[in-house]
C-alpha cells in the first residue's frame, strides 16, 4: 500500500511537470518549435550573385508593419539602386479591392540580420494609386519639414518601451492565470525571477547593430516582461527610419522565438506601468554654450500647444495615450502640461546635468510606445523650430 | 505537435553522413509528375561524372503501376530528362532532373502536358512569350490542419496576416526562407515571396521565364517546397480552397506578355488578347486546374479577391476580375497582364499553353487546335 501510494504520488508529480511544460510551450508559437538546425542548413546555401531585398512598410493601422521580398540580380549599393514596387492595399486596410494597387517607394536601406549579407531590409513609403501619400504615410511630410530646418541640425533619441507577450496574449513569463509580485525589483533587474525574456533583448540588440540601426542602449523596465531600447542620436528623418526598422527587427526576432512584441501603451490595466516612447530632442543651438535658453524657449512654445502634440503622439489622436498618461507610474497627466528638471512626473523633463551645464537637450515624455516617430519628430520641429501655434499644423 | 516523426530524427547524425566525400560519382534525382497530374515522384541514380548539360543525362524508366499511370501487366514507363538543376539538398555536384514521362509505346503519358506545351512554345518563339506565376500554398501539420492554427479551432479573422510579421501573424516563415534559398541555389528563377491573407498561407513567384521554362521552373520549385516541408516535418498543400468559408483560397495568378506587348503601345495588343480570352472562358477554365474546373469551382466564388467561375471580367488594378491589368501597365500603355483564374494546383504547362493558343495562335472555340499534320 505504501509503495502504491508513493508510486501514484510520483506519477502525479510527473504529470504535473509535463502539464507545466506543455503550458509553457503553449505560450510560444508552433513555428518556434520547427527545427532550427534544418533551417540553418538551408540558410547556408550560397546564393550566387542574387540578392534578396525585403521591402517593409507601415499598413493602414499606422502601427502594423508588413513585408515582402524580391530577388535582385546584384547587390544594391545605395537606395537609388532599389526599384519601386507595388502591393495589394486591400489586404492591409489601405484600399478597396477594385482599385487596390499601391506603390512602395524605397526610402532607407539596412543590412538584413536574418538573411545576412548581401541581403537587405528596405524601409518604404507608400503611395496611393494616384501617387499621393497614403493616410498612414507620415514620412512624406516629416521629410519636407526636416528639410526646411536642416541647418539647425535637429537631433533625436527615442526610448522605445515594449512588452513581450506569449501567443496567448498574456505577458511572457507571467503565471498563466495571474500576476507576478508587485513592481519594484524588475527595473534593470537580473535573475530569472526579475528579468523575463532577456534572450529577445540580446538578440534584438545584436541584430540592430548588424543592420546598421543606431541603437544606443537597452534596459529592463519597471513592469516584468517590459523592456526598453533606445535609438539615437539621429538627425532629421533618420530618427523615424531607424526606429521603424528597429521595431521591425524586434517583431521578427520575437517571431523567431515564438513570442509577440506589443507596443500597446497600457497593456495591463491597474498598478502596472504603461509603455512610452520618451523623445529626446536638441538643436545645434541647444547643444552650444548657453543653449539652455533655447531649451526653455522651446518648452514655452510646447506649453501652448499641448493638445496638438497629444494628437500627434499616438496613432489614435490621443485615445491610446489616455489609458497611459494618468499622472501615476512616472507619467504626466494627459490633460495638463508640465515641465521640470529631473522630474519624471512632468510632460517635459530637463535632465539634471543639462540644468547644470546650461546646455544640452530635453526629454518629451508624452509620446506613447506605439507612436509614429515621423509624426512625433515633425511635431517637435513645427512647434519649436518653425514657431507654429494653434491646433493645426501649418501648410507650407 | 503536428510535425512528422522523420523531422525529429537527429540532424547532426545526418550531417555527418552528408559531409562524406563522394569522389567522382554524382547523384541525379529524376523527378516526374504522376498520374494525378498534381503529385510529384522522384528516384535517384548514380552517374560516373558530373553531367554538364541535359544531353549528358540518360533516359530511364519506372513502374507506372505504382504511380497511377499504368497497369501492372505492362507497367514500364520512360523518363526523358527535360531540365536540370543543382541539388540544394545533396548540394554540388549532385543534380535534380525534371523528366517527361512516355508510355511503353513512346507516346506521352496522360499527365505529360509538357510534350504539347513545348511544341506550342516552339511555334511562337519569335513572339518571346514571358510568364511569371504566383504560386500560393498552405502549410499543414501532419494532422491536416493548417500549421500554427489552434488544434481545435481557428485563428482570428483575416486582416493582419498578409505580408505580416510577428509570431501572431506569420506561421511557418522558416519554410519560406529555406525554400527561397534552396531555389536560388538550384538555379530556379524565383522572383519573390510574401505571406498571404490566410494565416499559414504563403506565396512565391517564379519568373520571368520564357516559353517552356515557366513550367519547368515552377514544377521544380514545387518539388523543392515539398522536400523542404518534409525536412521540417510539415506538409504543403496546393489545394485551391483548403478551408471552406471565410478563408482565402489558393491560386496561381499567371502574368503574361509578348515582345509586342512589352514595346511602346503594347497595351493595344494586351486588350486584343483579353478580348480573345473573353470569348474562350470555358476552354481556359478547363485548362486551369487538374480536374477540368471542378477544383476551381470551390475557389472562384467572386469573393476573397477572386472572380466568379461563371463569368469573365477584366479591369485595371481590379483584384475581383478574371484578368487584371496592373495600374503601371495602364499608365505606361505597355507591359503585361495577369490572369487570376488558374488554381494553385494547376499544371503550368497547361496554363501557359492555353494562353499562347488563345492569344498568339488566335484559336477559338472549346477545343485546342491540332497542328500535327
Amino acid at each position: 500500500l505504501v509503495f502504491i501510494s508513493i508510486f501514484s504520488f510520483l506519477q502525479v508529480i510527473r504529470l504535473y511537470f509535463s502539464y507545466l511544460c506543455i503550458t509553457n510551450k503553449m505560450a510560444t508559437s508552433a513555428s518556434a518549435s520547427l527545427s532550427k538546425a534544418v533551417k540553418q542548413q538551408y540558410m547556408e546555401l550560397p546564393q550566387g550573385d542574387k540578392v534578396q531585398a525585403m521591402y517593409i512598410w507601415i499598413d493602414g493601422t499606422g502601427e502594423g508593419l508588413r513585408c515582402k521580398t524580391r530577388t535582385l540580380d546584384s547587390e544594391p549599393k545605395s537606395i537609388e539602386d532599389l526599384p519601386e514596387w507595388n502591393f495589394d492595399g486591400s489586404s492591409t486596410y489601405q484600399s478597396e479591392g477594385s482599385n487596390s494597387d499601391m506603390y512602395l517607394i524605397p526610402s532607407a536601406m539596412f543590412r538584413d540580420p536574418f538573411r545576412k549579407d548581401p541581403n537587405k531590409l528596405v524601409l518604404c513609403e507608400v503611395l496611393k494609386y494616384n501617387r499621393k501619400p497614403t493616410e498612414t504615410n507620415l514620412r512624406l511630410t516629416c521629410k519636407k519639414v526636416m528639410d526646411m530646418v536642416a541647418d539647425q541640425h535637429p537631433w533625436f533619441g527615442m526610448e522605445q518601451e515594449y512588452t513581450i507577450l506569449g501567443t496567448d496574449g498574456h505577458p511572457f513569463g507571467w503565471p498563466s492565470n495571474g500576476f507576478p509580485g508587485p513592481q519594484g525589483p524588475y527595473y534593470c533587474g537580473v535573475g530569472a525571477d526579475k528579468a523575463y525574456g532577456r534572450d529577445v533583448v540580446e538578440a534584438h540588440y545584436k541584430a540592430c547593430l548588424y543592420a546598421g540601426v543606431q541603437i544606443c542602449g537597452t534596459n529592463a523596465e519597471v513592469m516584468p516582461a517590459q523592456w526598453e531600447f533606445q535609438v539615437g542620436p539621429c538627425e532629421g528623418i533618420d530618427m523615424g527610419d531607424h526606429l521603424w526598422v528597429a521595431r521591425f527587427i524586434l517583431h521578427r526576432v520575437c517571431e523567431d522565438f515564438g513570442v509577440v512584441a506589443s507596443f500597446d501603451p497600457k497593456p495591463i490595466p491597474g498598478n502596472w506601468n504603461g509603455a512610452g516612447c520618451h523623445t529626446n530632442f536638441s538643436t545645434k543651438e541647444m547643444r552650444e554654450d548657453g543653449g539652455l535658453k533655447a531649451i526653455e524657449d522651446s518648452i514655452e512654445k510646447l506649453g501652448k500647444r499641448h493638445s496638438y502634440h497629444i494628437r500627434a503622439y499616438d496613432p489614435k489622436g490621443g485615445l491610446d495615450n489616455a489609458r497611459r498618461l494618468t499622472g501615476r507610474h512616472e507619467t504626466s497627466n494627459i490633460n495638463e502640461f508640465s515641465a521640470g528638471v529631473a522630474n519624471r512626473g512632468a510632460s517635459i523633463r530637463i535632465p539634471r546635468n543639462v540644468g547644470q551645464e546650461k546646455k544640452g537637450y530635453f526629454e518629451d515624455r508624452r509620446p506613447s510606445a506605439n507612436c509614429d516617430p515621423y509624426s512625433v519628430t515633425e511635431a517637435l520641429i513645427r512647434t519649436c523650430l518653425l514657431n507654429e501655434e494653434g491646433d493645426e499644423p501649418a501648410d507650407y
Side-chain angles (χ1 to χ4, degrees), chain A residues 145-158:
Chain A
V145 169
M146 292 298 170
D147 286 344
M148 290 169 68
V149 299
D151 55 352
Q152 299 197 47
H153 299 287
W155 286 6
F156 300 93
M158 292 180 83

Side-chain angles (χ1 to χ4, degrees), chain A residues 184-191 194-195 198 218-222 226-227:
Chain A
Y186 310 110
Y187 175 74
C188 299
V190 59
K194 312 263 174 38
R198 191 187 296 275
T218 65
N219 58 273
E221 266 301 328
V222 176
Q226 191 179 56
W227 295 83

Side-chain angles (χ1 to χ4, degrees), chain A residues 335-357:
Chain A
N335 298 314
E336 295 159 17
F337 179 88
S338 56
V341 175
N343 182 353
R344 280 184 167 74
S347 318
I348 308 275
R349 164 179 155 266
I350 300 173
R352 187 163 294 291
N353 56 306
V354 172
Q356 279 162 353
E357 293 164 26

Side-chain angles (χ1 to χ4, degrees), chain A residues 8-26:
Chain A
S8 313
F9 178 71
L10 288 172
Q11 289 292 84
V12 167
I13 298 289
R14 185 178 68 81
L15 285 169
Y16 176 68
F17 278 118
S18 327
Y19 167 76
L20 277 185
C21 290
I22 293 168
T23 322
N24 283 336
K25 277 205 177 68
M26 270 176 12

Side-chain angles (χ1 to χ4, degrees), chain A residues 56-369:
Chain A
I56 298 162
W57 70 97
I58 299 157
D59 72 17
T61 64
E63 300 178 60
L65 286 159
R66 311 278 180 145
C67 58
K68 60 173 184 164
T69 303
R70 72 187 295 176
T71 310
L72 302 173
D73 288 328
S74 63
E75 184 181 0
K77 297 301 179 192
S78 71
I79 201 78
E80 286 75 30
D81 294 339
L82 292 155
E84 278 189 21
W85 206 9
N86 56 67
F87 71 98
D88 173 12
S90 69
S91 295
T92 60
Y93 314 116
Q94 285 173 294
S95 67
E96 297 298 314
S98 53
N99 189 2
S100 62
D101 278 355
M102 308 196 82
Y103 294 103
L104 288 170
I105 315 295
S107 305
M109 186 171 77
F110 295 82
R111 290 164 77 195
D112 185 333
F114 310 104
R115 297 174 173 148
K116 293 189 262 200
D117 286 337
N119 304 302
K120 306 292 178 209
L121 301 179
V122 182
L123 183 66
C124 300
E125 282 195 35
V126 182
L127 302 182
K128 291 192 281 203
Y129 68 95
N130 56 6
R131 308 286 298 190
K132 289 197 191 327
T134 54
E135 278 69 30
T136 53
N137 174 1
L138 305 186
R139 188 184 191 274
L140 191 93
T141 9
C142 181
K143 186 148 203 316
K144 287 191 204 272
V145 169
M146 292 298 170
D147 286 344
M148 290 169 68
V149 299
D151 55 352
Q152 299 197 47
H153 299 287
W155 286 6
F156 300 93
M158 292 180 83
E159 306 169 28
Q160 177 72 71
E161 292 177 334
Y162 64 95
T163 314
I164 303 176
L165 309 177
T167 47
D168 56 1
H170 204 47
F172 181 74
W174 288 32
S176 60
N177 227 6
F179 300 84
Q183 298 183 151
Y186 310 110
Y187 175 74
C188 299
V190 59
D193 50 345
K194 312 263 174 38
Y196 297 0
R198 191 187 296 275
D199 285 345
V200 168
V201 181
E202 294 295 300
H204 174 255
Y205 205 142
K206 277 290 185 76
C208 282
L209 287 174
Y210 181 96
V213 168
Q214 190 80 1
I215 186 164
C216 59
T218 65
N219 58 273
E221 266 301 328
V222 176
M223 187 178 93
Q226 191 179 56
W227 295 83
E228 172 179 311
F229 63 87
Q230 304 94 27
V231 178
C234 290
E235 186 162 323
I237 197 65
D238 288 350
M239 183 69 251
D241 292 347
H242 281 238
L243 189 64
W244 273 115
V245 175
R247 286 174 174 176
F248 176 82
I249 291 174
L250 182 62
H251 283 302
R252 210 32 210 89
V253 166
C254 285
E255 184 189 311
D256 273 358
F257 280 106
V259 295
V260 175
S262 167
F263 296 113
D264 188 77
K266 190 75 176 180
I268 308 291
N271 203 8
W272 300 98
N273 268 33
C277 196
H278 306 155
T279 303
N280 301 280
F281 174 55
S282 71
T283 59
K284 191 161 171 290
E285 209 189 343
M286 295 177 197
R287 298 189 287 275
E288 288 169 347
D289 284 337
L292 185 57
K293 183 165 183 321
I295 291 173
E296 285 164 346
D297 286 345
S298 289
I299 293 175
E300 263 202 63
K301 295 177 202 162
L302 289 166
K304 294 182 185 140
R305 229 185 169 200
H306 182 64
S307 55
Y308 161 72
H309 280 259
I310 286 295
R311 279 208 326 275
Y313 283 1
D314 77 42
K316 296 194 187 64
L319 287 178
D320 275 342
N321 245 343
R323 294 181 284 124
R324 168 185 159 252
L325 295 177
T326 57
R328 297 174 60 219
H329 303 111
E330 294 150 289
T331 67
S332 53
N333 187 296
I334 196 171
N335 298 314
E336 295 159 17
F337 179 88
S338 56
V341 175
N343 182 353
R344 280 184 167 74
S347 318
I348 308 275
R349 164 179 155 266
I350 300 173
R352 187 163 294 291
N353 56 306
V354 172
Q356 279 162 353
E357 293 164 26
K358 307 266 186 279
K359 64 178 175 179
Y361 65 98
F362 67 86
E363 178 194 27
D364 190 337
R365 295 174 63 80
R366 296 172 290 175
S368 97

